Amino acid sequence: MKVLIVDDEPQIRRLLGVALKRAGHDVAEAGDAASALRLARTERPAAILLDLGLPDRDGIELIPLLKTDGDPALIILSARDATDEKVAALDLGADDYVTKPFDSEELLARLRTAARHAGRRGEERLSAGEIMIDLAARRVERSGEEVHLTRKEFALLAELAAHPGRVLTHGQLLRTIWGPAHEKDIEYLRVVVRNLRQKLEEDAARPSLIVNDPGVGYRLAR
């Protein structure tokens, strides 16, 4: 697939370019925000690796702009490791966040996952392990047996399943399911997550399906 690398450090672009080409991908490169926006429009990449520390604009501001052209998978590559930076990037639509320095093989794996999930957006039937979710019929099955969920439980599971493997922040989930007025009501979210785990996990005390990213949010395990 076509991958756009957006980073102001030439050595990072070279390192990523070699790894991506070796894995069979086509590569485009941008060293600043203006070039990134132009190439996103003309090259239509399937995925974008975005550094936040660009010389002409903060990369955080680019996330919603880059996602408008074909909704590519977008992974942040940044030396910033503060939780609030990660939350802000994910809230704006980033599919993953990788802190520098990074392992090239792990990054390629994350890229494959993010691209696969981007391609599944809009599907009406989703699955995660033994769980099947039929969005149109509002039906959930575990190992072929129907599981009865409340409206909020189904909404939360469907939102996580639409982005499997991707951390959705507390704010994202609360805005989507309860509305903007409840963006800070994390206890609402915790209660529904706890109920879902009781119904879907083999061991709710040691969840392996709905996974917590402390201080950030939740993800549905792949």
Side-chain angles (χ1 to χ4, degrees), residues 4-217:
L4 173 60
I5 303 168
V6 184
D7 198 299
D8 65 332
E9 297 184 54
Q11 63 270 33
I12 295 292
R13 296 202 304 272
R14 281 196 298 271
L15 172 67
L16 289 171
V18 169
L20 289 166
K21 290 173 183 175
R22 186 180 297 135
H25 301 297
D26 292 328
V27 175
E29 298 181 16
D32 53 45
S35 300
L37 291 171
R38 176 176 55 80
L39 288 171
R41 288 191 297 268
T42 58
E43 298 290 332
R44 307 286 290 182
I48 299 174
L49 303 178
L50 174 64
D51 178 36
L52 298 182
L54 301 175
D56 55 340
R57 194 169 183 177
D58 194 313
I60 284 285
E61 299 175 10
L62 292 189
I63 295 171
L65 302 176
L66 292 170
K67 294 287 282 186
T68 60
D69 289 306
D71 196 14
L74 193 151
I75 297 178
I76 301 299
L77 290 179
S78 178
R80 305 177 190 175
D81 60 358
T83 298
D84 58 346
E85 292 275 6
K86 183 176 182 180
V87 169
L90 294 170
D91 265 342
L92 287 169
D95 293 283
D96 203 347
Y97 195 109
V98 178
T99 304
K100 296 178 179 177
F102 54 86
D103 178 80
S104 295
E105 290 303 317
E106 179 186 353
L107 177 61
L108 288 171
R110 287 175 179 255
L111 178 63
R112 290 192 297 271
T113 299
R116 188 163 58 246
H117 297 162
R120 294 180 62 193
R121 290 171 188 153
E123 288 184 10
E124 292 193 345
R125 290 175 65 90
L126 304 169
S127 63
E130 298 178 348
I131 307 302
M132 189 282 296
I133 306 146
D134 189 324
L135 298 177
R138 298 186 63 82
R139 179 185 174 90
V140 175
E141 295 179 0
R142 179 185 175 190
S143 301
E145 296 291 328
E146 184 173 5
V147 180
H148 295 284
L149 302 181
T150 66
R151 290 181 61 187
K152 286 290 191 287
E153 289 166 359
F154 182 86
L156 176 58
L157 180 63
E159 186 66 15
L160 291 170
H163 309 86
R166 171 183 164 187
V167 176
L168 298 182
T169 67
H170 299 136
Q172 282 177 304
L173 293 169
L174 287 162
R175 282 195 302 274
T176 300
I177 298 166
W178 282 271
H182 297 285
E183 188 173 350
K184 303 297 183 182
D185 295 329
I186 296 179
E187 189 56 33
Y188 287 9
L189 182 59
R190 289 176 178 151
V191 168
V192 176
V193 168
R194 184 164 60 246
N195 292 342
L196 273 177
R197 285 171 169 167
Q198 291 288 345
K199 294 179 179 182
L200 299 177
E201 299 274 6
E202 289 189 13
D203 184 350
R206 290 188 289 272
S208 59
L209 180 68
I210 301 173
V211 182
N212 180 41
D213 191 329
V216 180

